[in-house]
Amino acid sequence: MNPPHPAIDRKALVRRHNVRQQQLDPRSPVSVGNGEFAFTVDLTGLQSLPTDYPVGARDDLPPGTLLGTQAQWGWHSVPPPHPYHLAGSTVLYDSPRGPVPYVDMVGDIVNDRETDTSVAETWLRSNAHRLDLGRIGFRWLQDGTERPLNAADITDTEQTLDLWTGAITSLFTVAGHRVKVTTACHPDRDELGFRVESTALGAGLFVGVGFPYGSEAWHDAADWDRPDAHTTTLSGPSPVGNNGSTAWTAQRELDDSRYEVVITGQSLAVVQAGQHDLRIAPASPGTPGSDTVLDFSVAFVSAGDGDCIPRCNNRPANHAHQPDGPADARTGVELSPARSIFEAAAAYWPEFWSSGGAIELDATDDPRAKELERRIVLSQYLTAINCAGSLPPQETGLVCNSWRGRFHLEMHWWHAAHFAYWNRVELLLPSLRWYSTVLETSRQTAKAQGFDGVRWPKQVGPDGRESPSPIGTFLIWQQPHPIHLAELVYRANPSRDVLEEFAEIVFETAAFMAGFAHPTSRGFELGPPLIPAQESYGSIRSKVTNPTFELAYWQWGLRTASAWRERLGLEPVPGWSDVAEGMVPPRVIGGVYAAIDSEPFTIRTDHPSMLCALGVLPLTDIVDPEIMRATLSDVLADWDWCSTWGWDYPVMAMTAARLEDPEAAVDALLLSAGKNTVLPNGHNRQTDSLPLYLPGNGGLLAAVALMAAGWDNGPERHAPGFPADWTVAWEGLVQAP
């Protein structure tokens, strides 16, 4: 490969895409976070206006809000009236090996909406669910009456998310008072820093903190209508450190879930103003000069009980009872609680942006390059704060809930693979390590179906327990993902330590894959029953066979697992090679690849997943590049774009790039389609009820890394996936397989 361009001015690259807003955009709030924890704010720099940032309602459920406060450890379950078990949804399906039990669903999912589910199924699909840990926003207290701040109260608004320092600065005027709010998140602790500067603090403006119950709703992590189902108990104040700081601790109990919220500040007063409401205000209201600044931190700490799980990633453990700020290196003076967090963030984010990969397109005159560069930079920030934690993320990350807050393992590759391509494997490792915690659960699933190895679930919480579904449990394309992700980690860090750490995950995955493929006179085949990545075939799951993408993924995944055994000096497993070398070829109809090998062969809705067989994957023996070229053209000419999803456009771009069609690759990434919308804050919006979609952001990053750095045995030219007349500067990327 030709060498990349000279070093990129990363500070200039990043800061020209700072998010700046001067008016309320209900679709585009901004967030601070660290991968384990995130806090999403409105135009006030807090969460003062939750109803102005709605998540659209689904079915008969009320609307939610985009302004979430979520942590990887923050989970909750509503106690069931009696134990519910998956056995009630288990159905025997005919397979080439005889009847096989699958966790199905009495109800159905039509247009992404659940219908006619049983009470047990609804509970099992909803619990455990991710929890909104609390809402922090401005309120007014005048003449003894308290009320929320609302959008009509604020004028002259201006907000900037500085990507280089990880801080949000918000300016607005309320009741004639100018207000400045600075917001940041500690890079290693689930702790927020706030500094509010305004004379409005002496005129009745204060910060309120409210706590909800957990919600079983599809999209909402907070239930504000069950105050008696949980408890909030405030204790303090207690002196902290040597700089006059004081701390208050709110103990939270929701059934079996426990956590603490610690508020620390100087010249601060914190009181419990309601059953689940706290009030943060200056300690000496009315005293000149003492009521113009609120400097405080808010830390969220898992008690490690019930559904709240302690951190298990490679970052320091959260310990909010150590709120002492570091000393300023220049003066030796202990910093205020908020300032210590601002300084920690301002040290972390330049290091983040200066390490790993970078792509710069600004020197290209084509206006598409400017927009693509914006999407690339913002996607790096969004995936770093939402997708780099100790669990695979839900599709909406830590902003709000989707699919009841549970995460989807078939989406894990799209959330996380790019971290390896961008040479930031430390951000992928925590969620990849999670698979080792559910090996036994997944092994039992495989055993119950008559297979060796592990069969990974689809829609789950931290415990890895499958959810009832007429779709999810029949998907198989998530099975090779751990092999793929582990291989990307190894390519970025080719060490024996990596091989030994993930060998069991890789080998157990391969054992199931080899057993699932069944021999026929044509070769090894897949299914039935199954549903391919393109879920349009859900209603005929009992008949679907040999989806094109999955056939190629099986061959590549088993070959990769065999390579891991060779690298470790282990004997090969003959069955793996037999299956890999004997996979049947995909169905070809009219010179293009069909989606599946049985009627109706190709439905032109949802994901054009047959393209993944060359693009997401490198070239395998069972794929013909010229047939794939015709397939790409066929998809681009006539597909139902309204039914596609945010990661479909990176899929097409990767296929086009590997077929040496860079113009088509760029066009695909920026295709004008509803679900390819990227908002000012970088969110890949899908629908009102799915207002952001991080697989689209992660897929974009995987695609542009492949387009810039190329792939094994790819074209010997710089940035092979970009048009020849573009000026593409890149550095620090890892070549794709």
Side-chain angles (χ1 to χ4, degrees), residues 340-353:
S340 69
I341 293 170
F342 300 158
E343 297 238 339
Y348 171 80
W349 283 103
E351 182 179 351
F352 168 84
W353 291 113

Side-chain angles (χ1 to χ4, degrees), residues 34-37 72-73 186-191 302 309-313 315-318 390:
N34 57 28
E36 287 290 321
F37 171 85
Q72 296 287 10
W73 50 260
H186 197 285
D188 297 317
R189 301 198 300 263
D190 302 344
E191 188 170 13
S302 167
I309 61 171
R311 282 187 161 198
C312 56
N313 70 342
R315 294 180 175 136
N318 182 353
S390 50

Side-chain angles (χ1 to χ4, degrees), residues 63-86:
T65 180
L66 277 163
L67 306 183
T69 306
Q70 297 193 349
Q72 296 287 10
W73 50 260
W75 293 80
H76 170 255
S77 290
V78 175
H82 52 81
Y84 294 127
H85 302 288
L86 292 173

Side-chain angles (χ1 to χ4, degrees), residues 390-665:
S390 50
L391 295 174
Q394 62 174 320
E395 293 174 346
T396 49
L398 298 168
V399 175
C400 62
N401 275 3
S402 56
W403 291 103
R404 306 181 189 276
R406 296 166 71 77
F407 47 92
H408 293 187
L409 291 190
E410 89 281 17
M411 288 293 98
H412 190 201
W413 192 95
W414 298 97
H415 286 287
H418 65 90
F419 288 132
Y421 286 131
W422 285 75
N423 214 0
R424 294 187 177 119
V425 290
E426 70 279 2
L427 301 184
L428 166 58
L429 287 171
S431 61
L432 183 57
R433 288 172 174 145
W434 171 82
Y435 286 89
S436 66
T437 71
V438 296
L439 272 167
E440 187 55 34
T441 300
S442 304
R443 191 176 286 119
Q444 291 304 316
T445 299
K447 183 178 179 180
Q449 295 183 341
F451 301 114
D452 293 331
V454 296
R455 180 162 191 168
W456 303 113
K458 194 272 192 191
Q459 183 179 342
V460 298
D463 61 356
R465 190 262 296 155
E466 187 63 271
S467 300
S469 174
I471 296 175
T473 58
F474 299 88
L475 297 178
I476 61 170
W477 69 294
Q478 72 268 35
Q479 300 306 320
H481 281 352
I483 296 177
H484 200 164
L485 293 172
E487 176 68 5
L488 294 180
V489 170
Y490 178 77
R491 291 174 66 86
N493 179 21
S495 69
R496 189 173 183 87
D497 287 345
V498 170
L499 294 171
E500 290 178 345
E501 178 174 5
F502 297 109
E504 184 177 17
I505 290 173
V506 169
F507 297 159
E508 290 287 88
T509 300
F512 168 80
M513 291 171 59
F516 184 82
H518 61 276
T520 70
S521 59
R522 301 172 57 211
F524 284 94
E525 302 193 42
L526 302 177
L530 65 77
I531 297 176
Q534 182 190 3
E535 296 178 9
S536 303
Y537 310 91
S539 63
I540 57 170
R541 53 191 176 273
S542 63
K543 301 177 182 178
V544 172
T545 60
N546 301 327
T548 293
F549 171 36
E550 284 81 348
L551 289 172
Y553 212 177
W554 243 244
Q555 182 175 80
W556 184 84
L558 287 169
R559 285 177 172 174
T560 301
S562 295
W564 273 56
R565 294 190 65 85
E566 183 177 352
R567 292 166 187 164
L568 285 166
L570 301 175
E571 291 294 320
V573 178
W576 298 2
S577 299
D578 292 344
V579 174
E581 306 312 315
M583 295 301 298
V584 299
R587 169 80 68 160
V588 178
I589 298 178
V592 302
Y593 285 119
I596 61 176
D597 193 22
S598 49
E599 291 185 349
F601 301 113
T602 301
I603 299 173
R604 305 184 75 82
T605 60
D606 199 48
H607 313 295
S609 61
M610 68 287 283
L611 299 179
C612 296
L614 180 58
V616 173
L617 301 180
L619 183 64
T620 56
D621 293 346
I622 62 174
V623 172
D624 183 314
E626 291 309 309
I627 297 175
M628 188 60 76
R629 189 184 307 279
T631 306
L632 175 62
S633 296
D634 181 65
V635 168
L636 292 172
D638 181 24
W639 200 264
D640 178 14
W641 301 117
C642 291
S643 66
T644 54
W645 297 88
W647 57 268
D648 293 325
Y649 310 99
V651 162
M652 294 185 289
M654 286 186 274
T655 301
R658 290 197 192 258
L659 293 172
E660 299 188 48
D661 190 349
E663 280 289 346

